[in-house]
């Protein structure tokens, strides 16, 4: 055993940064994220468990919810490498993130590695030399309560998803998913869209007047009352377009036109001048949710994009831990911020005492400090931008400004409200205007918080008014009637949805980004600009859950789950009884809400398993997938239905597809009628003279096509796609027969004697001869290309994977990540944006006219995030190397000694383990004999299928229950 210690973190980048702070007596390696999890699919379940009744869930619900953890196949070699390094270490430090998930990862590492050396938990919330040294000097044990809370959350989410999702498959459509938080988030978005669908437009009028003082200063004011009755504004109407406040006066166009005529000769006097000072305090420092909201408003970043940039900044040591719901700043941070304020802005911008911010989030627990620049002194944004660049530089600047501003003086100002009156044609009219003057900018010098409400943001701007006194006469120089329309409830953006989730107590800040990504990936929500639009599929899912599983999507129920998980983390609640109440229910009770109207796992009295079994047969799939729009002029019901291939409209026997980019609130009764009465494209063109079969032009899932014969017979009818230049409405019988004649025989190849054919395929027109094929430029050429032309094309070398680059439709802007010019182009799969390096297809809701630079950069960023890792091609062995004997690998301890040779810095400079082959601890197996007996083959097959034992580092799910790190049996053994 060497004198070195092994430190394990989650990511290679984090390992590299930490290794730079530690000496040669430490080896720093990463686990590359989670090392094991519940089985994702049936094929992941070890053979010995496949026949168990609980194998589908991956949780043994009858034995204290014992989870079956499976080591990721891609991680097995890396785990073996960690075990090898551990053999040569005298101490193991687990330095995963300081939150529940990080604590759980540390526990999983401990269970899988099964170390024989002392194990210590390193806890830190920033990656700086001082913080790492303090963490090494002050280690702790793994907090089993945090582990239990995280494992309980994981098991609960598995039970919820795996029990409820199959109900959606059977009653809505296959491949849908339900989730404890994602279903509630979808419901929030659906309810907002439903409000927009109920919305009825209302109009109202008022008058803007321009006034002038004696010194020719001008300002505007609006009509606010007529004969003492307040003029109606947008807030006075409900979503049905009705006046919600009886005392408000709704003016018509005719009335305001008459009033303007009377006002032309009226005189105006200042009736009152109200002045009062105002102060604004800075916003608290960022926590996860507010960082996501502000990055969305100011930088147009998605939540996932924000968290990816924050992760990079944290791992590079520039910010503190980015998953937190705390707004507390350490004394070190306060001192650093105040020092910067004194240096950059002066003593007048520094409050006498440091500001302290109390957490507004109930049970804030994810980390001990707000998100701030790391260290005793904050790196300047310009330096970080040079080092990191792109998204990371912008996000750091946002964090830096917010942290500095939160310790600055209040902004101070003076607000003035003027009331101007007149008597016109016997009516008393009042105009009013409010102004604001900033007398001391305070924190506004450093940072101004954004807002989702443009009106509110406008009101916060400085708007000075000329000095006037009560009783002063004013001259009106202009009157302008103003027509206003009420607005439907604004759709959620990522920022406002995060805010709403936080208000309701649904989920945790660390989960918000993944929640929003998940509901988009599942097809429940799509983006139109920055707005989140629910699909009709989401309406059907929410309708099912609300009617038959109301507790599961109840906001209070979901929030109470979080409180009870906090109770487990604090030791006030035990995980297993809590899970039993949720899954099996309370004996002798019924599924009702608590007396105070709230819901929680304890209130799901019959239990999830029984609830699903009882409700499944009650659900009317047709009713769940139907959304009535109303009756048409002839009294016929018009209904939106959610089908297997998407939403469609139905009126009697008539149906029509709903365009996939049409938001639900735009599918009105009038629009539905238009779609139902539009030509469907399905019509009989005539009869084929050769076969006497009918020829149709039809509309399908993938566009229009022609069909020969009727469907439903013994033989599948012959079909053919239309050319791009063809229109279904203008299609003739001759055109259809022409398309059905493909593939066309061009001639015979003189050498191979094989026929040469011309046809149109998935990727366009081409010619083929046997297994050889070549693309041709124009679709029309398939009908005219000659044998000689085809032979010339076939003789040309095949350009594998090379296609002609599409000409750009337009330039959009510059990508801040790559520096390339972003252009919009059209490819074989549709419209896409590219910066010359990365291509990203436009999504549902995007159009060539609406796509802007921010949206294009978001699409490119998402594409980069999910880009597959390029696999290196295996090099062919030379004849000499093939004959060379295989070298034997020495004993494990010798390998361990070799692995720990040198210091931690050198080891961290190697390529990350995800890109290089880990060192093996066993000799390579010899090639099998060519003529192995059948018995030996079966034996070998069984040996491969048999789960690995604890001895050889296999999944501990097949091992006996062991004691937890604290010495007592773990509540969640594997």
């Amino acid at each position: 055993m060497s004198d070195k210690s092994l430190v394990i973190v989650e990511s290679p980048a984090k390992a590299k940064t930490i290794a730079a702070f530690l000496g040669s007596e430490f080896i720093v390696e990463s686990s590359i994220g989670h090392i094991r999890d519940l089985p994702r699919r049936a094929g992941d379940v070890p053979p010995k468990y496949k026949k168990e009744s609980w194998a589908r869930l991956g949780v043994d619900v009858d034995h204290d919810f014992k989870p079956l953890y499976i080591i990721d196949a891609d991680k097995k070699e890396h785990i073996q490498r960690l075990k090898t390094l551990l053999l040569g270490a005298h101490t193991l430090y687990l330095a995963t993130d300081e939150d529940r998930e990080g604590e759980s990862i540390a526990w999983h590492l401990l269970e899988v590695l099964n170390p024989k050396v002392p194990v210590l938990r390193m806890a830190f919330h920033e990656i700086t030399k001082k913080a790492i040294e303090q963490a090494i000097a002050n280690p702790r044990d793994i907090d089993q309560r945090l582990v239990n809370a995280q494992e309980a959350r994981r098991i609960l989410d598995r039970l919820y998803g795996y029990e409820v999702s199959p109900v959606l498959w059977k009653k809505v459509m296959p491949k849908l998913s339900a989730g404890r938080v994602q279903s509630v988030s979808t419901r929030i978005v659906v309810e907002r869209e439903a409000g927009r669908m109920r919305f009825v437009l209302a109009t109202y009028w008022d008058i803007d007047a321009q006034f002038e003082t004696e010194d020719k200063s001008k300002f505007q004011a609006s009509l606010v009352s007529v004969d003492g009755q307040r003029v109606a504004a947008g807030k006075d109407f409900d979503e049905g377009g009705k006046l919600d406040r009886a005392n408000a006066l709704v003016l018509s166009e005719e009335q305001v036109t008459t009033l303007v005529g009377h006002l032309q000769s009226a005189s105006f006097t200042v009736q009152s001048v109200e002045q009062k000072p105002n102060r604004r305090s800075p916003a608290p420092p960022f926590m996860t949710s507010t960082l996501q909201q502000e990055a969305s408003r100011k930088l147009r970043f998605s939540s996932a994009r924000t968290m990816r940039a924050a992760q990079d900044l944290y791992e590079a040591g520039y910010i503190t831990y980015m998953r937190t719901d705390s707004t507390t700043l350490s004394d070190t941070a306060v001192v650093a911020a105040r020092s910067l304020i004194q240096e950059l802005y002066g003593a007048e911008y520094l409050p006498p005492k440091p500001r302290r911010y109390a957490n507004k989030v109930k049970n804030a627990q994810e980390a001990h400090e707000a998100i701030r620049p790391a260290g005793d002194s904050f790196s300047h944004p310009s330096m970080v931008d040079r080092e990191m660049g792109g998204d990371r530089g912008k996000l750091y600047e946002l964090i830096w400004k917010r942290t500095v501003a939160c310790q600055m003086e209040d902004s101070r100002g003076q607000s003035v409200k003027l009331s101007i009156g007149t008597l016109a044609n016997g009516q008393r009219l009042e105009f009013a205007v409010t102004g604001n003057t900033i007398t001391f900018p305070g924190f506004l010098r450093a940072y101004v918080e954004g807002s989702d409400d443009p009106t509110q943001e406008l009101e916060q701007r400085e708007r000075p008014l000329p000095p006037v006194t009560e009783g002063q006469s004013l001259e009106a120089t202009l009157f302008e009637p103003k027509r206003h329309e009420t607005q439907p409830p604004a759709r959620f953006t990522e920022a406002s949805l995060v805010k709403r989730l936080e208000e309701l107590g649904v989920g945790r800040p660390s989960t918000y980004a993944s929640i929003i990504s998940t509901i988009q990936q599942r097809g429940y929500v799509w983006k139109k600009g920055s707005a989140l639009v629910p699909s009709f599929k989401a309406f059907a899912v929410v309708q099912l859950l609300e009617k038959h599983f109301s507790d599961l999507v109840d906001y209070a129920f979901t929030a109470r789950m979080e409180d009870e998980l906090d109770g487990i983390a604090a030791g006030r609640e035990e995980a297993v009884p809590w899970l039993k109440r949720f899954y099996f229910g309370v004996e002798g009770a019924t599924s009702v809400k608590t007396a105070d109207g709230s819901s929680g796992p304890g209130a799901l009295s019959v239990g999830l398993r029984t609830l699903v079994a009882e409700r499944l047969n009650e659900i009317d799939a047709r009713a769940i997938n139907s959304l009535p729009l109303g009756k048409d002029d002839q009294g016929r019901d018009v209904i939106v239905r959610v089908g297997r291939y998407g939403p469609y409209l139905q009126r009697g026997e008539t149906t029509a597809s709903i365009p996939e980019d049409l938001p639900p609130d735009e599918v009105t009764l009038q629009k539905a009628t238009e779609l139902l009465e539009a030509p469907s494209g399905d019509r009989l063109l005539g009869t084929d003279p050769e076969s006497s079969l009918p020829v149709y032009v039809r509309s399908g899932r993938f566009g229009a096509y022609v069909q020969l014969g009727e469907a439903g017979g013994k033989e599948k009818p012959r079909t053919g796609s239309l050319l791009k230049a063809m229109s279904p409405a203008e299609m003739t019988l001759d055109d259809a027969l022409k398309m059905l004649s493909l593939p066309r025989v061009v001639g015979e190849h003189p050498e191979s004697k094989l026929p040469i054919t011309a046809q149109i395929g998935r990727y366009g027109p081409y010619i083929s001869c046997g297994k050889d094929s070549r693309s041709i430029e124009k679709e029309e050429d398939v009908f005219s290309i000659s044998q000689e032309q085809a032979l010339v094309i076939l003789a040309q070398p095949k350009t594998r994977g090379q296609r002609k680059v599409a000409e750009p439709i337009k330039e959009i802007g510059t990508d801040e990540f790559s520096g390339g010019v972003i252009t919009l182009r059209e490819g074989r799969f549709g419209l896409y944006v590219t910066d010359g390096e990365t291509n990203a297809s436009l999504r549902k809701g995007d159009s060539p006219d609406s796509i802007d630079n921010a949206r294009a950069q978001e699409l490119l960023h998402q594409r980069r995030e999910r880009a597959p890792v390029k696999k290196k091609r295996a090099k062919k062995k030379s004849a000499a190397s093939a004959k060379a004997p295989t070298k034997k690998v020495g004993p494990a301890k010798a390998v361990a000694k070799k692995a720990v040779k040198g210091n931690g810095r050198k080891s961290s400079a190697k390529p990350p383990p995800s890109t290089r082959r880990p060192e093996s601890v066993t000799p390579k197996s010899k090639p099998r004999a060519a003529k192995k007996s059948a018995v030996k083959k079966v034996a070998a097959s069984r040996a491969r299928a048999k789960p690995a034992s604890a001895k050889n580092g296999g999944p501990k799910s097949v091992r006996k229950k062991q004691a937890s790190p604290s010495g007592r049996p773990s509540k969640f053994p594997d």
Side-chain angles (χ1 to χ4, degrees):
M1 184 178 292
S2 74
D3 58 350
K4 295 180 182 293
S5 295
L6 176 62
V7 179
I8 301 180
V9 299
E10 289 108 314
S11 74
K14 187 176 175 183
K16 184 177 180 180
T17 306
I18 292 177
F21 298 136
L22 298 175
S24 59
E25 65 272 19
F26 291 92
I27 300 171
V28 185
E29 264 293 355
S30 74
S31 66
I32 320 179
H34 291 267
I35 59 169
R36 63 178 185 173
D37 196 5
L38 299 172
R40 296 182 181 179
R41 55 188 73 84
D44 294 339
V45 178
K48 68 176 291 184
Y49 295 109
K50 285 186 180 291
K51 293 183 179 180
E52 298 288 347
S53 60
W54 49 267
R56 176 182 65 87
L57 296 173
V59 178
D60 188 351
V61 296
D62 295 320
H63 294 87
D64 290 342
F65 297 88
K66 181 181 177 182
L68 173 62
Y69 286 119
I70 303 298
I71 296 177
D72 192 318
D74 296 336
K75 295 289 181 69
K76 289 183 178 180
E77 287 188 359
H78 185 63
I79 289 172
Q80 193 59 51
R81 170 180 171 76
L82 294 177
K83 288 185 175 183
T84 303
L85 293 172
L86 189 56
L87 287 175
H90 68 78
T91 307
L92 172 62
Y93 287 92
L94 298 174
T96 51
D97 290 338
E98 193 185 9
D99 58 8
R100 290 178 189 170
E101 188 174 10
E103 205 75 14
S104 178
I105 293 174
W107 176 76
H108 280 286
L109 282 166
L110 187 60
E111 294 285 295
V112 171
L113 296 178
N114 195 20
K116 306 301 181 185
V117 297
V119 180
L120 300 172
R121 176 80 166 98
M122 277 177 64
F124 49 87
H125 64 275
E126 62 181 353
I127 305 177
T128 60
K129 185 176 179 62
K130 181 178 178 181
I132 299 303
E133 288 175 346
Q134 287 179 345
I136 289 284
N138 301 282
R140 61 172 174 81
D141 293 329
I142 289 178
D143 190 333
Q144 194 63 37
R145 297 176 305 174
L146 292 182
V147 173
N148 290 342
Q150 179 62 25
E151 298 306 293
R153 178 195 297 272
R154 181 70 186 96
I155 292 169
L156 178 81
D157 288 344
R158 168 56 65 95
L159 297 174
Y160 188 120
Y162 274 47
E163 291 287 8
V164 181
S165 295
V167 178
L168 303 183
W169 305 343
K170 295 173 183 177
K171 301 299 182 178
V172 182
M173 65 175 65
K175 298 182 180 180
L176 295 182
S177 70
R180 178 178 60 92
V181 180
Q182 67 158 291
S183 295
V184 173
S185 303
T186 302
R187 180 190 174 194
I188 293 171
V189 180
V190 165
E191 284 187 343
R192 181 61 59 88
E193 192 72 11
R196 291 175 65 88
M197 295 169 76
R198 292 190 300 267
F199 170 76
V200 177
L201 180 70
T203 60
Y204 58 96
W205 290 74
D206 63 14
I207 301 171
D208 281 354
Q210 186 178 76
F211 294 98
E212 187 176 275
T213 61
E214 292 179 357
D215 62 356
K216 303 301 180 182
S217 297
K218 296 181 180 180
F219 63 94
Q220 283 191 332
S222 299
L223 180 66
V224 293
S225 71
V226 176
D227 285 334
Q229 187 175 7
R230 188 172 59 82
V231 174
K235 62 183 179 182
D236 298 321
F237 297 86
D238 62 19
E239 63 182 20
K242 295 181 180 179
L243 190 65
D244 204 24
R245 300 187 183 183
N247 62 338
L249 174 63
V250 181
L251 294 175
S252 64
E253 181 179 10
E254 183 179 356
Q255 287 175 307
V256 297
T257 302
T258 302
L259 286 174
V260 166
H262 296 154
L263 288 168
Q264 299 294 338
S265 57
S267 58
F268 300 88
T269 305
V270 177
Q271 291 182 330
S272 64
V273 180
E274 297 179 15
Q275 295 188 17
K276 56 183 179 181
N278 60 60
R279 297 176 72 96
R280 285 182 60 195
S281 298
F286 283 131
M287 53 185 178
T288 306
S289 59
T290 52
L291 177 64
Q292 291 176 14
Q293 293 171 50
E294 202 70 349
S296 176
R297 296 173 187 135
K298 290 185 176 295
L299 305 178
R300 301 290 298 275
F301 285 3
S302 66
S303 296
R305 186 176 176 183
T306 299
M307 295 309 292
R308 179 66 262 165
Q311 180 84 34
D312 291 345
L313 288 168
Y314 169 67
E315 291 178 351
Y318 285 119
I319 64 170
T320 54
Y321 191 54
M322 66 289 165
R323 293 189 182 95
T324 174
D325 43 17
S326 172
T327 54
T328 302
L329 285 179
S330 65
D331 292 340
T332 299
V334 170
V335 170
R338 289 175 64 86
S339 175
L340 274 173
I341 295 165
Q342 176 80 35
E343 178 185 345
L344 297 176
Y345 303 106
E348 66 270 25
Y349 286 88
L350 197 62
K353 296 181 180 179
R355 294 184 183 272
R356 303 293 178 184
Y357 294 93
N359 284 329
K360 293 183 179 180
V361 178
K362 185 170 58 175
N363 298 323
Q365 48 76 36
E366 293 290 4
H368 300 304
E369 193 172 4
I371 303 170
R372 63 164 178 89
D376 297 339
S377 60
F378 302 160
S379 299
H380 195 273
S382 60
M383 187 274 286
V384 177
D385 189 51
R386 284 194 304 271
E387 292 289 330
M388 305 289 286
D391 291 354
R392 295 162 294 190
K394 289 182 177 181
L395 192 68
Y396 179 82
E397 183 179 18
L398 196 67
I399 294 168
W400 186 91
K401 287 182 175 179
R402 177 90 162 215
T403 307
V404 171
C406 80
Q407 291 300 316
M408 294 178 72
E409 273 282 11
D410 290 347
S411 71
R412 300 187 291 272
Q414 191 82 10
S415 60
V416 181
K417 183 178 180 181
L418 301 183
S419 174
I420 302 161
T422 186
L423 188 65
N425 196 35
Q427 291 180 299
R428 287 181 292 104
L429 305 180
E430 180 186 358
F431 290 81
V433 61
T434 300
N436 182 54
T437 304
I438 297 175
T439 56
F440 177 70
F443 71 93
L444 297 177
R445 282 285 305 276
Y447 181 84
V448 181
E449 187 179 24
S451 172
D452 283 326
D453 185 351
T455 304
Q456 181 183 355
E457 188 174 14
L458 185 65
E459 289 174 354
Q460 291 175 354
R461 295 179 183 175
E462 187 174 22
R463 187 167 58 176
L465 292 174
V468 295
T469 57
E470 190 172 327
Q472 180 178 337
S473 296
L474 298 173
E475 182 181 350
T477 58
L478 180 66
F479 299 102
E480 185 179 1
K482 286 283 187 178
R483 181 181 185 274
H484 302 278
E485 294 180 347
T486 54
Q487 298 297 315
R491 288 193 178 99
F492 283 103
T493 61
E494 289 200 17
S496 57
L497 180 57
V498 165
K499 184 178 181 181
R500 183 61 177 154
L501 290 170
E502 185 182 45
E503 290 171 349
L504 293 170
V506 173
R508 279 294 178 198
S510 58
T511 66
Y512 291 153
S514 62
I515 290 168
I516 294 173
S517 295
T518 297
I519 61 177
Q520 291 182 72
Q521 291 166 4
R522 301 296 187 194
Y524 294 140
V525 170
W526 53 280
K527 270 190 165 183
K528 185 178 182 182
S530 61
L532 298 174
V533 184
S535 62
F536 279 110
K537 176 169 61 179
F539 272 82
V541 168
V542 169
Q543 189 163 266
L544 184 152
L545 294 174
E546 285 183 331
K547 286 186 176 181
H548 300 280
F549 303 97
S550 57
D551 283 336
L552 296 182
V553 288
D554 184 84
Y555 300 142
F557 172 88
T558 310
R560 187 169 169 182
M561 279 187 182
E562 299 295 344
D563 293 341
E564 292 175 351
L565 284 166
D566 291 337
I568 295 172
R572 299 189 303 270
E573 179 93 45
E574 290 296 325
V576 172
W578 182 74
L579 288 168
K580 283 183 177 178
R581 290 200 306 273
F582 173 76
Y583 192 67
F584 294 114
V586 180
E587 187 175 354
T590 57
S591 180
V592 293
K593 293 186 178 180
T594 55
D596 61 359
S598 64
S599 300
L604 195 64
S605 304
V606 299
L608 178 66
R609 186 166 70 174
T610 304
L611 185 64
V612 169
E614 288 179 351
R615 298 293 171 86
L616 185 60
N617 294 329
E618 299 176 5
I619 300 171
D620 182 347
R622 187 170 179 82
I624 286 297
N625 291 285
S626 301
L627 287 82
L629 292 179
K631 296 181 181 293
D632 66 3
D633 295 339
Q634 300 178 30
R636 296 172 294 184
D637 290 320
V638 179
I639 303 170
V640 174
R641 297 199 187 278
V642 178
R644 183 174 183 180
Y645 300 116
Y648 64 95
L649 295 162
Q650 183 173 27
R651 184 182 60 189
E653 297 299 319
T654 306
T655 61
S657 296
I658 297 175
E660 65 174 14
D661 59 348
L662 190 64
D665 74 326
E666 294 181 23
V667 185
T668 60
L669 186 59
Q670 179 182 353
K671 181 66 177 178
T673 303
E674 291 176 7
L675 292 171
L676 286 163
E677 293 177 354
S680 66
D682 291 3
R683 58 191 176 95
L684 177 65
L685 298 176
T687 303
D688 177 25
E690 292 185 10
S691 63
S692 300
L693 293 174
V695 179
Y696 298 93
V697 60
R698 296 189 182 280
S699 296
R701 286 181 65 197
F702 305 109
Y705 64 96
V706 290
Q707 176 180 305
L708 177 65
E710 300 285 357
K714 291 183 179 180
E715 295 184 4
K716 190 176 179 181
R718 190 174 175 184
T719 60
S721 300
L722 274 61
L723 301 181
K724 289 182 180 179
M726 290 179 171
S727 167
E730 299 174 358
M731 200 71 179
T732 65
L733 178 61
D734 290 340
D735 292 334
L737 292 174
K738 191 175 180 181
M739 299 310 301
L740 289 167
S741 70
L742 296 177
R744 166 180 164 258
V745 177
V746 176
E748 185 182 272
H749 198 285
E751 296 177 4
S752 65
K753 304 301 181 182
L754 294 173
I756 302 171
T757 59
Q759 55 247 302
I760 295 177
R762 181 181 178 185
Y763 304 125
Y766 69 100
I767 56 172
S768 67
C769 181
K771 294 183 178 180
D772 201 12
S773 64
R774 298 288 187 277
S775 296
I776 53 180
E777 286 193 11
K778 298 179 181 178
E779 287 182 320
E780 295 81 3
D781 289 348
V782 294
F783 301 109
S784 60
I785 192 168
S786 66
Q787 180 177 350
E788 291 75 15
Q789 291 172 320
L791 289 171
V792 171
I793 295 174
L794 286 169
Q796 295 174 357
K798 199 167 188 176
T799 54
R800 186 183 299 274
Q802 295 181 0
R803 300 188 302 275
K804 185 178 179 181
V805 179
E807 291 296 322
I809 296 172
K810 68 174 182 179
E811 286 190 6
I812 298 175
T814 302
D815 182 59
E816 293 166 355
F817 180 85
S818 65
V821 176
I822 302 175
T823 56
L824 176 67
R825 299 173 185 264
E826 184 172 10
R828 67 186 185 187
F829 300 118
L831 294 171
Y832 68 97
V833 291
T834 179
D835 64 345
E837 298 176 3
T838 305
N839 299 341
S841 298
L842 268 60
R843 304 287 184 83
K844 182 179 175 181
D846 295 326
S847 68
D849 296 329
S850 65
I851 194 81
D852 58 11
N853 193 38
R855 176 59 175 159
Q857 289 194 68
E858 182 180 1
L859 291 171
L860 289 170
H861 178 79
Q862 291 172 355
R863 183 66 186 88
R864 293 186 193 103
E865 285 288 298
R866 67 176 188 272
V869 178
K870 293 183 179 179
K871 295 182 179 180
K872 294 183 178 180
R873 293 183 180 180
K875 294 181 179 179
K876 293 183 178 180
K877 292 184 177 180
S878 64
S881 62
K883 293 178 181 178
T886 305
K887 291 184 179 180
K888 292 184 179 181
V889 180
K893 289 187 178 180
V895 177
K897 186 175 181 180
K898 184 179 179 181
V900 300
K901 188 177 181 181
N903 58 39
R905 296 187 185 185
K906 289 183 179 179
S907 66
S908 68
K910 295 178 181 178
S914 59
T915 60
R916 56 188 167 94
R917 182 180 178 86
E919 295 176 1
S920 176
V921 295
T922 57
K924 294 182 180 179
S925 59
K926 295 180 180 179
R928 292 182 180 178
K931 298 181 178 179
K932 212 169 193 179
S933 67
V935 175
K936 286 185 177 179
K937 286 185 178 179
V938 172
S941 175
R942 287 178 179 174
R944 286 194 301 270
K946 186 177 180 180
S949 66
K951 204 169 186 178
N952 63 16
K956 290 187 68 181
S957 54
V958 300
R959 290 158 55 189
K960 293 182 179 180
K961 183 174 181 179
Q962 292 189 351
S964 68
S966 60
R968 55 187 174 84
S970 170
K971 287 186 168 75
F972 296 102
D974 42 311

